[in-house]
Every structure is written in structure tokens, then in C-alpha cells.
């Protein structure tokens, strides 16, 4: 097995364990924003799209690369903006309360 | 020399980005830090994105510049526009759509890399092939499954479970085909066509797996698909030997799975039951039985209902998806305030899956400035219904259906519900007698202590507020 893959496997397993640990006891109030936020984070695959589009050398790969960048960018930007919109509302505390 | 500097900058940026992702996710799961957590994750994304631009793998030919920047600008504009304009009620669809886009990206990246490698070297190494088939399969299922979920939530496709004969054998056949193609691509170097066929089969499988699942279970489905897209992104990371993709993808894969488990718990369903369960088939039988008996209901007027609330000690408001559809968050807050002015204690009981996603109702009520302290989770408030004079149910149905406690034949049996029927009087605001999202009859509406106020939730609430002012 080549070294890069092995290293990747270590990183993957550790990140999985960390992911399980980090969100531990999240209140149900935050389920929707958290899902939306993690949804934005997996948009990281946009970087893969950029590398594909940047290394493309056939018409087919140009098209695939373009689609990957477009969809990935939608995932990233849309995901972060919509999560922020949701969480902004949580912050806004009413003034006149009792 | 220059190249090694470039790589060092990228490596350091990815390292910093990974730490920020972890820290952001940590903050995102606490109420106080959630917003900053999301922004930190956004910063991590920005750093990783910029670093990628100096990568050696990118050849800045005119076409490549065009595809990258037009794609980036177009996708960013599209995503941001939707995210800014979407109504808070449509949030589940929005998350599902963005999730599907991410899944498609992961699958496209995997397929493209395979095509490129196959073109360059004639064959692709085993470990790369493994990453490619995993990324392609999971990404494609996540994409087509998410699109079906969007269709169901947006009600472009019926929210009822859609079943057709031979679906199980078909799914099994697809699965066998997918496994055969995996083995072919990894062991026998079957080439690019097999990966494309795999892509196609996985797309079909995503559709056939999600179609038979009822609309009420879509939140759990989206959570599963969200976690899958994370894993697909990690697989794409293996294909590209890109550590930040592996880290971020694995984080989402793991936290998404945990979130899925938490959501299933809130609905008291096992994950297997949601994905492959008999939800659909049971609905058919109990729905037919329920339709046969026409039980009496008691209708009331806004004035009568207002009097009951105005002279109560304690009113518990139970908001449901109907409130969200009618955009009546503000009206319910006005009613609550009016009652509090008269000295009535007003509390809001939030079922974990009220709305269409856990926490969805909290978002909607926060939007309308309902004080955070007045919102109670199910476990905190369920014992209090016995002491409440009035339970006001606004557009909630399945989450207050007593059949979940008593009727073992009901498809929602075992789901924890809000015990509104224990209150002295139950006032139900409802558009009509149409059954809820799960498509099941609700006994609550026929209870002797229940009165129904039909009409649009916004309208009814406005009338109630006016009537409370006068009484």
C-alpha cells in the first residue's frame, strides 16, 4: 500500500472519531442549523472540482470540471449564507421581554 | 525549488484550515457560539479555497480559467441568491438541494479523475480505483436521493410513500450491479465505461431508495444523505490525495451520522425502520380503517375560544407545520403577548420534530421574536399539560396524535408526542379535517375536551387576538 493512502487512512479515521466527539451533546434546538452548517462544510469538495477543472485537457473534462465547480460553489456559498441567516435569528433577543 | 515552496504554503494553509473546521464545528454545536462557529468554518473554507489556486495541478489555460471562474461565480451567485431569498419554512428543501449539489460534485470529481487517469496511463491503480468507485457511488446516490427529497418537501412529488411492485428486487439488482462494477473497476481494470455505468446505476438507486419513504421521514433522510455527501467528499480527497477534503469530509460524515441517530431518536424510529420500514404499507391499512367511521367533532368560534384563553391561568401553545405554512409566527406571538398582558402564563411546547426538521420550529419562532425563555422542549413540558387550562394547537397534527401512545397498529405508534389531550380544554386551529403529513387520522380531534376552530391559521389567530382584547 502506498504511503499517501495509508496516511490518508489515518487522517480519515482520526477525523471520524473527532467528528463524533466534537458535536457530542447538541441540543435539539440546534439540529437544523447544525445540519445546515455541516452541509456547507462538505462543500469543501469544491476544491476537488477546481482541481478537476484546472487539470482538464479534453472537452469532456472541461464540461465535467465546470459542472463540478458550479455545483460545489453553490453548495459552499449557499450553505454558509443560509446557516448564517438562521443563526442570526437565534441571536436577536427581544427587548421588551417582561 | 519554487514548487516545494508552493506545496509548503498549500500544506500549511490546509493544516490551519483543518483546525479551524474542527473548532468551528465545535462552536456550531453550542447555542452561544453557533453563529461564530459557522463563520469560523466559512473562514476555514476561504483559506483552503485560496490555497488551492496555487496548486501545481492547475494549468492556467484560457479554457480552464474560464471554466473555473465562470463556474465559481455562477455557483456562488446561484447559491447565495437562493439562500438569501428562501423562506424559513422551506429550509429543509434548501438544505437538501445544497446537499445534492455537494454530492453531485463529489461524484463528478471522482468520475473525472478516473477518466483522466485512464486516458493518461491506460490503467488506474487499485487504491485510486477503490476511492473513485466509493466516491462516485455515494456521491451519485446522495445527489439523486436529495433531489427526490426536495421534490417531496416542495410537494412537486407526492409526500405519501410511493411504492411500486418489485421495488425490493429492483433495488437488490441495482446493488448487485453496483458491487459487480466495483469489483470490475478495482480488480479487473474494466476502464472508464464501467465507472460511468456505476454513476448511472447509483443515480437510479438514489431515486428508488428515497421514493418509497414518506414525506414525514424526509428530515432523517436528508441527515443520512448529508452524512453520505461528507463521506463522498472524503473519498474524493483520497482520489486527489488531498488531506483537507479527507478531514472535512470525514468530520461531516461522522457528525452527520450522529445527528441522524439523534433525529431518529426524537422520532423514536430506528434508522433501518425509516429507510426500509413499513411506514408506507401500514398507512394504507389504518388510513382505510379510519376513513370508515365518521366520529363527531365539536366546532367553536373565535370568540368562545378567546374567552376560554383570556380567563385561563395557563395556556400552552403547540405550534406545528401548519403555523409555518400560514406564515403566522408573528400572529401567534401577538396572541401570546396579549394573553400575558392579562396575567395568563403562556408557554410554547416544541416537539423535537415540529415543522419538518428538528429545531425548525425554534428557527421560525425566533424569527418572530418569541422570547427564547418561553419555548419548552417536549420533556420539560409534557407533565405540565395536566395543569394547563388550555392547550392551543396551531397547525400541528401528528405530533399531538394520541394514537402514538395507545394504538399499536398506528404507523406512528411509539413516537413520543406532546400530551395535549391531558389539558382541560384543547383548542385546535386547523384548515380542514385533512390528515397530517404522515397521512393518518387523529383521534385527538374527536375527544370530548377538544374543540376545533377551522380556517387559515393566520386569520384565526388575528381574530383570537382581537377577541381576547375585547373580553
Amino acid at each position: 500500500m502506498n504511503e499517501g493512502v495509508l496516511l490518508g487512512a489515518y487522517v480519515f479515521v482520526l477525523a471520524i472519531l473527532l467528528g463524533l466527539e466534537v458535536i457530542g451533546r447538541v441540543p435539539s434546538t440546534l439540529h437544523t442549523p447544525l445540519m445546515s452548517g455541516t452541509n456547507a462544510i462538505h462543500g469543501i469538495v469544491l476544491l476537488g472540482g477546481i482541481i478537476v477543472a484546472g487539470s482538464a485537457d479534453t472537452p469532456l473534462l472541461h464540461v465535467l470540471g465546470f459542472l463540478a465547480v458550479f455545483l460545489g460553489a453553490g453548495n459552499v456559498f449557499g450553505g454558509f449564507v443560509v446557516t448564517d441567516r438562521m443563526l442570526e435569528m437565534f441571536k436577536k433577543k427581544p427587548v421588551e421581554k417582561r | 525549488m519554487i514548487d516545494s515552496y508552493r506545496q509548503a504554503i498549500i500544506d500549511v494553509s490546509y493544516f490551519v484550515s483543518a483546525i479551524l473546521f474542527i473548532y468551528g464545528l465545535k462552536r456550531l454545536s453550542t447555542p452561544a457560539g453557533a453563529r461564530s462557529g459557522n463563520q469560523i468554518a466559512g473562514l476555514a473554507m476561504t483559506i483552503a479555497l485560496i490555497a488551492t489556486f496555487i496548486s501545481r495541478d492547475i494549468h492556467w489555460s484560457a479554457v480552464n480559467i474560464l471554466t473555473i471562474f465562470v463556474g465559481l461565480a455562477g455557483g456562488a451567485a446561484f447559491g447565495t441568491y437562493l439562500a438569501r431569498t428562501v423562506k424559513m419554512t422551506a429550509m429543509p428543501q434548501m438544505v437538501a438541494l445544497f446537499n445534492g449539489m455537494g454530492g453531485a460534485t463529489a461524484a463528478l470529481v471522482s468520475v473525472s479523475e478516473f477518466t483522466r487517469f485512464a486516458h493518461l496511463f491506460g490503467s488506474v491503480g487499485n487504491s485510486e480505483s477503490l476511492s473513485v468507485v466509493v466516491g462516485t457511488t455515494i456521491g451519485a446516490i446522495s445527489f439523486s436521493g436529495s433531489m427526490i427529497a426536495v421534490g417531496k418537501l416542495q410537494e412537486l412529488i407526492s409526500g405519501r410513500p410511493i411504492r411500486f411492485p418489485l421495488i425490493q428486487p429492483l433495488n437488490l439488482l441495482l446493488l448487485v450491479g453496483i458491487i459487480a462494477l466495483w469489483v470490475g473497476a478495482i480488480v479487473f481494470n474494466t476502464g472508464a465505461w464501467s465507472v460511468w455505468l456505476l454513476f448511472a446505476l447509483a443515480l437510479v438507486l438514489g431515486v428508488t431508495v428515497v421514493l418509497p419513504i414518506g414525506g414525514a421521514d424526509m428530515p432523517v433522510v436528508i441527515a443520512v444523505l448529508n452524512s453520505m455527501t461528507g463521506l463522498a467528499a472524503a473519498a474524493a480527497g483520497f482520489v486527489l490525495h488531498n488531506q483537507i477534503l479527507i478531514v472535512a469530509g470525514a468530520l461531516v460524515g461522522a457528525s452527520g451520522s450522529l445527528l441522524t441517530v439523534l433525529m431518529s431518536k426524537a422520532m423514536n424510529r430506528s434508522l433501518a425502520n425509516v429507510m426500509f420500514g413499513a411506514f408506507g404499507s401500514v398507512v394504507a391499512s389504518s388510513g382505510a380503517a379510519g376513513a370508515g367511521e365518521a366520529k363527531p367533532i365539536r366546532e367553536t368560534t373565535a370568540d368562545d375560544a378567546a374567552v376560554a384563553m383570556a380567563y385561563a391561568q395557563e395556556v400552552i401553545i403547540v405550534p406545528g407545520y401548519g403555523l409555518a405554512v400560514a406564515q403566522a409566527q408573528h400572529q401567534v406571538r401577538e396572541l401570546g403577548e396579549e394573553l400575558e398582558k392579562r396575567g395568563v402564563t403562556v408557554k410554547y411546547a416544541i416537539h423535537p420534530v415540529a415543522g419538518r426538521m428538528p429545531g425548525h420550529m425554534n428557527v421560525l419562532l425566533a424569527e418572530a421574536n418569541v422570547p427564547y425563555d418561553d419555548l419548552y422542549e417536549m420533556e420539560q413540558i409534557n407533565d405540565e399539560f395536566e395543569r394547563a387550562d388550555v392547550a392551543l394547537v396551531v397547525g400541528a397534527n401528528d405530533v399531538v396524535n394520541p394514537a402514538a401512545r395507545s394504538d399499536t397498529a398506528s404507523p406512528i405508534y411509539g413516537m413520543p408526542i406532546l400530551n395535549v389531550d391531558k389539558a382541560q380544554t384543547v383548542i385546535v386551529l386547523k384548515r380542514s379535517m385533512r390528515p397530517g403529513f404522515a397521512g393518518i387520522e387523529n383521534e385527538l380531534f374527536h375527544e370530548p375536551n377538544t374543540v376545533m376552530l377551522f380556517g387559515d391559521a393566520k386569520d384565526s389567530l388575528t381574530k383570537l387576538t382581537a377577541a381576547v382584547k375585547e373580553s
Side-chain angles (χ1 to χ4, degrees), chain B residues 8-31:
Chain B
I9 293 171
I10 295 174
D11 287 342
V12 171
S13 305
Y14 281 180
F15 186 67
V16 172
S17 167
I19 293 169
L20 288 175
F21 270 129
I22 294 162
Y23 182 55
L25 193 59
K26 175 87 200 157
R27 289 193 68 89
L28 201 52
S29 57
T30 59

Side-chain angles (χ1 to χ4, degrees), chain B residues 12 22 35 54 61 65-66 78 102 112 123 126 153 172 176-177 185 206 209 241 249 251 261 302 317 332 378 387 419:
Chain B
V12 171
I22 294 162
R35 193 171 181 206
I54 61 170
S61 70
I65 290 174
L66 200 71
F78 175 73
S112 305
S123 73
N126 293 357
L153 289 164
L172 199 65
V176 170
V209 166
H241 300 291
L251 280 176
V261 173
I317 300 178
V332 85
M378 185 172 60
R387 296 191 292 275
N419 298 324

Side-chain angles (χ1 to χ4, degrees), chain B residues 376-397:
Chain B
Y376 291 84
E377 289 184 23
M378 185 172 60
E379 299 81 30
Q380 296 172 301
I381 203 156
N382 244 352
D383 296 330
E384 213 166 315
F385 280 106
E386 289 175 29
R387 296 191 292 275
D389 304 283
V390 177
L392 178 69
V393 179
V394 188
N397 192 343

Side-chain angles (χ1 to χ4, degrees), chain B residues 246-263:
Chain B
I246 299 178
V247 172
L251 280 176
V252 176
S255 58
S257 319
L258 200 60
L259 201 56
T260 311
V261 173
L262 291 173
M263 281 191 194

